Amino acid sequence: MNAERDLSPLTPGVVRALTDKLYEKRKVAALEIEKLVREFVAQNNTSQIKHVIQILSQEFALSQHPHSRKGGLIGLAACSIALGKDSGLYLKELIEPVLTCFNDADSRLRYYACEALYNIVKVARGSVLPHFNVLFDGLSKLAADPDPNVKSGSELLDRLLKDIVTESNQFDLVGFIPLLRERIYSNNQYARQFIISWILVLESVPDINLLDYLPEILDGLFQILGDNSKEIRKMCEVALGEFLKEIKKNPSSVKFAEMANILVIHCQATDELIQLTAMCWMREFIQLAGRVMLPYSSGILTAVLPCLSYDDRKKNIKEVANVCNQSLMKLVIPEDDEMDEAKPSVTIPAEPTSEESLSKPEAVTTDFSHHGRNELDVTALNQPLFFPCSCERIQVTLNLDGIVQVLDYHLSDTSIGMMTRIAVLKWLYHLYIKTPRKMFRHTDSLFPILLRTLSDESDEVILKDLELLAEIASSPAGQTEEGHGPSDGSDVRPGPVELHVPARAGQLSSSSTKGLECSPSTPTMNSYFYKFMINLLKRFSSERKLLETRGAFIIRQLCLLLNAENIFHSMADILLKEEDLKFASTMVHTLNTILLTSSELFQLRNQLKDLKTPESRNLFCCLYRSWCHNPVTTVSLCFLTQNYKHAYDLIQKFGDLEVTVDFLTEVDKLVQLIECPIFTYLRLQLLDVKNNPYLIKALYGLLMLLPQSSAFQLLSHRLQCVPNPELMQTTDNTKPSTSFKRTAASNIDYTELLQHFEKVQNKHLEARHQRAGRAEQLDRRVVL
């Protein structure tokens, strides 16, 4: 360095001053260099200019000696000042050695590097934009510098560079995005602050459309939103807010599909601000993009459904999630049922800015057998999606399998909240309404969990579950192939796969009567109706507490949702072959109580009351055969249908039965029922003694069965009110009586019914003896 020829055209004095430890001497040397370079500029001597810059760079700025590096930095700044507008021709040579000094271990040297670069950029202005990436890279590192002076210097340089970018229309955004995408994942607070500040600047420049590249940086922005610094979180909120405003203004240019999975992930964040912000974005995306979001439904539901059960501490998130859920549900339309994934999709006119906008990306679904609820497969974000103009026709496919998988998972999760379970059931119901043909492919897998849901602790959940099951049982799309019934000799309770509606619902009756499916008074049920009835009774049988606490509630609601005649007819058929006689008796008692007391069964009671039609008589015979599992309920059915003679004949048979406390309790309850409004017509018929002798005899029969209890007194007082037939004679005896119910209401073989009653009761007696025998054997073992 001491060789004068090596450092010419710099004089030895300038060289010595540049390497001096005093700043003032280095400054004097820089002024000399500025003067020298100006002369070369005037002479247009570019080779000498390059030579001077090279000397300052290689021999000084990149020297091992710290004072030499400081001199080189100030010398390069002086060259830039001297070059003025021509500095753009030498920027690469001027900038690179200065940026190298940004990494120097000496904080003072890093500060001088900031100062030198500031002067270089200030002179070059817009000419530095081709070198923006290297400048940004260097500044992003200094933004996190621990030395306050260096940070201060970098901030000055940063502001200058932002001014240049803002006033220029030649910023290379495409080249900058990869660097921004890389640096946005920094965990350093100051680096994050630096990144956000630049995003805000670029977003504010009219000529820079950062929205096109939002999918590249959106994930990083949500990461920064979770920073510990309130100031950085606020800055990030502002940036995201500006982007969302821009999206609302220009939805036709937004790549919604590319950002859908990013939002799905952050909608499941543990940080409340991130989750709320992502959920708000999701709400806007669904409402603005419409059916573009439909292929991502499974992921969206994975994120949204758990939020619906949040308490008031997360009320805002819950409310936004609810809007997302409702808006997404509206996107499923009947046309989706006509589309088949194996065939070309049905095309629908696209509306870019409405809920009917369409797209054809493949959804990223969640495989719950390998992932937790908050883990989502995002390995394949989709290709860039551009909205077509409204006149184009594009395709969309509803990923029903993925949606059903998510819904099934959330319904099976016992830890999930009530509102989430309700939302899942609403979704399933909606899908069965809009896309029944496709949904019935999933019914066999959904059926068990829907039946288990009937044991839910929430009445509202059970109601929604029953609505869904009723829709499954009655939808025409659920009908299987022809000839779906078992033969006469088949088991009425076959395995789950082979269950179908029997060809004749009255197949177990004595005579060939019209079946359930053929009844003109009832709508046709599909294959799943009978399967539902069988499995419901199985569930009541295996879970007696459910029958006790919710049995009546479930059956009453089903009678509202479906046809009551179908329900009672099918259950009676199934119970006729029930092997557990004790359960059969309990179930019949439950059904009978519902039949006699529930307002929902008013129409069915009226239908049975007169037995005017073949269908009503067929129903009576069907019910009677199962009701025989419980003697007292059989009598009450005869009272309801005004079969008083047969009721009397049955009571006569009670003398041969084993009279237990439970039996007497049921007789007691029947007496109470006779006093209820339902049997008003029966009590009024006691006035017509002449034409209703068997009614009076039957009631006296019940009276004789009872011990002298309160029920005995009640019925005894009622019978004491029966008038003397002689006193009830009218003056006109020529007219035939109109009070006698029916002469031949009876294409019904009551003798055969009575024999059936005796047969069933013998079975019950034998079963009780067997149970008693087993209990006795068990007692002996205990004694031994």
Side-chain angles (χ1 to χ4, degrees):
M1 185 177 289
N2 293 330
E4 186 177 339
R5 66 178 183 278
D6 294 334
L7 300 177
S8 60
L10 299 183
T11 64
V14 169
V15 171
R16 283 195 302 273
L18 278 179
T19 58
D20 198 279
K21 65 179 181 179
L22 294 175
Y23 172 77
E24 292 299 327
K25 290 188 178 181
R26 296 196 301 273
K27 187 175 180 181
V28 170
L31 292 173
E32 289 297 322
I33 292 170
E34 181 183 344
K35 181 179 178 182
L36 179 64
V37 173
R38 286 185 189 277
E39 292 175 1
F40 291 147
V41 170
Q43 299 166 8
N44 199 22
N45 191 343
T46 56
S47 61
Q48 282 291 70
I49 294 173
K50 288 182 178 179
H51 186 51
V52 171
I53 293 173
Q54 184 178 10
I55 291 172
L56 291 170
S57 173
Q58 299 298 323
E59 302 298 331
F60 289 90
L62 301 178
S63 169
Q64 297 297 318
H65 193 276
H67 296 311
S68 295
R69 293 201 295 276
K70 294 173 185 176
L73 289 170
I74 198 171
L76 289 169
C79 287
S80 178
I81 292 169
L83 288 167
K85 63 181 181 179
D86 293 332
S87 63
L89 301 172
Y90 309 93
L91 275 176
K92 186 175 186 295
E93 294 82 1
L94 289 168
I95 288 172
E96 284 184 353
V98 178
L99 289 174
T100 302
C101 292
F102 276 12
N103 299 317
D104 200 283
D106 186 348
S107 62
R108 290 294 297 167
L109 213 146
R110 295 198 301 275
Y111 174 78
Y112 287 132
C114 282
E115 187 179 56
L117 191 58
Y118 179 88
N119 288 316
I120 294 169
V121 172
K122 186 174 182 180
V123 171
R125 302 296 295 182
S127 300
V128 302
L129 289 179
H131 309 277
F132 177 80
N133 278 13
V134 293
L135 294 174
F136 182 88
D137 183 53
L139 272 175
S140 67
K141 295 172 183 176
L142 288 188
D145 199 283
D147 187 273
N149 289 325
V150 176
K151 277 188 65 179
S152 177
S154 71
E155 286 170 3
L156 286 172
L157 176 57
D158 181 51
R159 284 199 291 272
L160 174 61
L161 201 56
K162 285 172 180 171
D163 289 341
I164 293 170
V165 170
T166 302
E167 67 190 24
S168 172
N169 58 0
Q170 310 208 344
F171 181 71
D172 182 13
L173 184 61
V174 176
F176 172 61
I177 288 298
L179 179 61
L180 179 61
R181 185 178 60 227
E182 175 193 339
R183 291 303 164 87
I184 203 170
Y185 287 105
S186 170
N187 290 324
N188 183 277
Q189 282 190 355
Y190 299 107
R192 285 179 163 183
Q193 192 170 18
F194 172 77
I195 293 291
I196 291 295
S197 67
W198 267 102
I199 290 174
L200 284 168
V201 167
L202 295 175
E203 175 62 16
S204 67
V205 178
D207 295 331
I208 297 177
N209 186 12
L210 196 56
L211 194 61
D212 282 346
Y213 302 93
L214 183 57
E216 306 280 337
I217 62 173
L218 184 62
D219 180 60
L221 283 171
F222 275 104
Q223 299 270 10
I224 294 176
L225 190 60
D227 195 273
N228 293 327
S229 166
K230 289 183 180 180
E231 183 181 354
I232 294 174
R233 287 164 74 99
K234 187 63 180 176
M235 286 179 66
C236 193
E237 270 193 276
V238 171
L240 286 167
E242 290 300 317
F243 276 121
L244 196 55
K245 286 180 186 176
E246 192 68 22
I247 288 170
K248 291 178 182 179
K249 288 180 184 177
N250 305 289
S252 60
S253 62
V254 178
K255 301 169 185 176
F256 289 104
E258 291 188 41
M259 294 181 278
N261 285 317
I262 296 172
L263 294 183
V264 165
I265 292 170
H266 293 291
C267 281
Q268 300 173 76
T270 54
D271 184 287
E272 289 187 24
L273 179 59
I274 294 177
Q275 189 179 24
L276 176 60
T277 306
M279 200 68 74
C280 289
W281 275 61
M282 184 67 78
R283 176 189 62 196
E284 299 301 331
F285 271 38
I286 295 171
Q287 293 178 350
L288 292 170
R291 287 176 61 86
V292 169
M293 302 298 288
L294 199 57
Y296 303 91
S297 298
S298 57
I300 296 170
L301 288 173
T302 300
V304 167
L305 288 173
C307 302
L308 301 179
S309 291
Y310 283 172
D311 55 25
D312 288 343
R313 288 173 295 179
K314 295 184 179 181
K315 184 179 178 182
N316 291 339
I317 299 174
K318 179 180 179 179
E319 289 175 351
V320 179
N322 187 53
V323 175
C324 289
N325 183 57
Q326 296 296 328
S327 300
L328 186 64
M329 193 179 291
K330 291 176 183 177
L331 299 182
V332 181
I333 55 177
E335 285 78 1
D336 289 316
D337 203 31
E338 300 167 7
M339 303 178 193
D340 195 331
E341 292 84 346
K343 300 175 183 177
S345 300
V346 177
T347 55
I348 302 174
E351 296 292 339
T353 59
S354 74
E355 288 189 359
E356 298 304 318
S357 303
L358 307 179
S359 171
K360 55 174 181 179
E362 292 297 324
V364 177
T365 59
T366 307
D367 182 356
F368 289 104
S369 61
H370 298 91
H371 300 282
R373 185 164 66 247
N374 293 328
E375 295 178 346
L376 201 63
D377 179 9
V378 289
T379 55
L381 288 177
N382 305 94
Q383 295 302 313
L385 171 90
F386 296 92
F387 274 78
C389 61
S390 58
C391 62
E392 294 183 10
R393 297 171 70 85
I394 51 179
Q395 300 172 341
V396 66
T397 299
L398 176 67
N399 181 20
L400 195 62
D401 291 352
I403 294 175
V404 172
Q405 187 183 22
V406 172
L407 296 174
D408 183 279
Y409 174 81
H410 283 85
L411 194 59
S412 304
D413 187 354
T414 54
S415 64
I416 213 72
M418 179 190 73
M419 296 308 297
T420 297
R421 297 197 300 279
I422 291 173
V424 168
L425 293 167
K426 285 181 177 179
W427 255 102
L428 289 169
Y429 182 81
H430 183 72
L431 292 173
Y432 271 103
I433 294 294
K434 298 295 183 181
T435 60
R437 189 171 57 86
K438 286 185 177 180
M439 277 302 294
F440 268 96
R441 301 172 190 171
H442 301 276
T443 302
D444 285 336
S445 61
L446 287 171
F447 215 66
I449 182 60
L450 294 179
L451 286 167
R452 288 199 298 273
T453 304
L454 291 175
S455 301
D456 197 276
E457 59 186 16
S458 165
D459 284 352
E460 194 172 350
V461 171
I462 295 175
L463 280 173
K464 293 299 176 187
D465 192 34
L466 289 171
E467 285 180 17
L468 175 56
L469 285 165
E471 178 59 29
I472 292 173
S474 59
S475 172
Q479 189 60 59
T480 57
E481 67 281 354
E482 293 295 327
H484 47 265
S487 62
D488 286 333
S490 65
D491 186 359
V492 207
R493 304 187 65 172
V497 180
E498 302 125 357
L499 294 176
H500 303 289
V501 179
R504 304 195 315 276
Q507 61 187 345
L508 299 167
S509 301
S510 58
S511 57
S512 58
T513 56
K514 281 190 178 181
L516 174 64
E517 297 289 348
C518 305
S519 172
S521 63
T522 61
T524 301
M525 298 290 107
N526 64 32
S527 332
Y528 283 94
F529 173 78
Y530 208 68
K531 179 177 181 179
F532 176 29
M533 293 298 106
I534 289 172
N535 283 279
L536 180 60
L537 288 174
K538 281 183 178 179
R539 189 145 192 87
F540 285 149
S541 178
S542 61
E543 196 174 335
R544 297 299 173 86
K545 186 176 180 183
L546 176 64
L547 177 59
E548 293 171 8
T549 58
R550 298 289 180 81
F553 172 73
I554 290 171
I555 294 170
R556 288 174 63 182
Q557 292 303 318
L558 284 175
C559 289
L560 288 174
L561 296 165
L562 295 169
N563 185 278
E565 180 181 344
N566 281 345
I567 291 169
F568 273 76
H569 206 153
S570 59
M571 284 190 171
D573 273 342
I574 297 164
L575 287 170
L576 192 57
K577 283 286 188 77
E578 175 59 54
E579 295 177 358
D580 184 346
L581 298 181
K582 189 172 182 181
F583 166 70
S585 177
T586 304
M587 193 67 224
V588 163
H589 177 75
T590 303
L591 290 171
N592 187 67
T593 303
I594 295 168
L595 176 63
L596 293 180
T597 61
S598 301
S599 57
E600 294 86 353
L601 277 297
F602 175 79
Q603 186 175 350
L604 187 59
R605 283 196 297 272
N606 278 351
Q607 185 179 342
L608 287 168
K609 185 176 174 181
D610 295 322
L611 299 182
K612 290 180 179 178
T613 64
E615 290 76 27
S616 62
R617 291 193 288 273
N618 176 43
L619 176 60
F620 165 71
C621 291
C622 180
L623 295 182
Y624 180 94
R625 293 175 176 280
S626 289
W627 263 229
C628 285
H629 282 297
N630 190 306
V632 180
T633 60
T634 314
V635 172
S636 67
L637 180 63
C638 291
F639 281 159
L640 175 65
T641 55
Q642 304 185 67
N643 282 298
Y644 301 134
K645 182 179 185 307
H646 192 68
Y648 172 70
D649 292 339
L650 285 174
I651 293 171
Q652 289 289 92
K653 297 290 183 182
F654 283 6
D656 300 328
L657 303 180
E658 182 181 359
V659 178
T660 63
V661 174
D662 290 339
F663 176 86
L664 293 175
T665 302
E666 291 193 24
V667 175
D668 189 298
K669 290 179 180 177
L670 177 56
V671 171
Q672 304 293 336
L673 274 174
I674 291 171
E675 295 297 320
C676 292
I678 292 168
F679 281 115
T680 300
Y681 68 91
L682 180 147
R683 298 195 300 272
L684 288 174
Q685 285 172 354
L686 291 174
L687 293 172
D688 189 359
V689 178
K690 182 178 179 181
N691 290 315
N692 293 292
Y694 287 105
L695 169 59
I696 298 171
K697 285 185 176 184
L699 292 177
Y700 269 110
L702 289 179
L703 186 66
M704 296 309 155
L705 285 170
L706 285 168
Q708 296 200 19
S709 59
S710 58
F712 177 91
Q713 298 296 331
L714 187 65
L715 185 54
S716 175
H717 289 158
R718 173 64 63 186
L719 290 171
Q720 287 173 16
C721 296
V722 174
N724 186 324
E726 297 297 328
L727 297 177
M728 296 300 289
Q729 288 289 332
T730 60
T731 55
D732 187 1
N733 293 325
T734 60
K735 294 181 181 178
S737 173
T738 58
S739 61
F740 186 71
K741 189 173 143 306
R742 53 182 179 269
T743 55
S746 326
N747 304 326
I748 299 174
D749 185 350
Y750 287 97
T751 303
E752 190 276 335
L753 292 180
L754 201 57
Q755 290 171 354
H756 178 76
F757 175 80
E758 291 176 343
K759 181 180 177 182
V760 172
Q761 290 309 308
N762 287 334
K763 283 185 180 179
H764 276 270
L765 184 60
E766 183 180 345
R768 280 196 294 272
H769 288 165
Q770 288 176 353
R771 287 196 297 269
R774 286 195 295 269
E776 186 177 350
Q777 289 176 4
L778 183 60
D779 290 341
R780 288 175 182 173
R781 289 176 188 172
V782 172
V783 171
L784 290 174

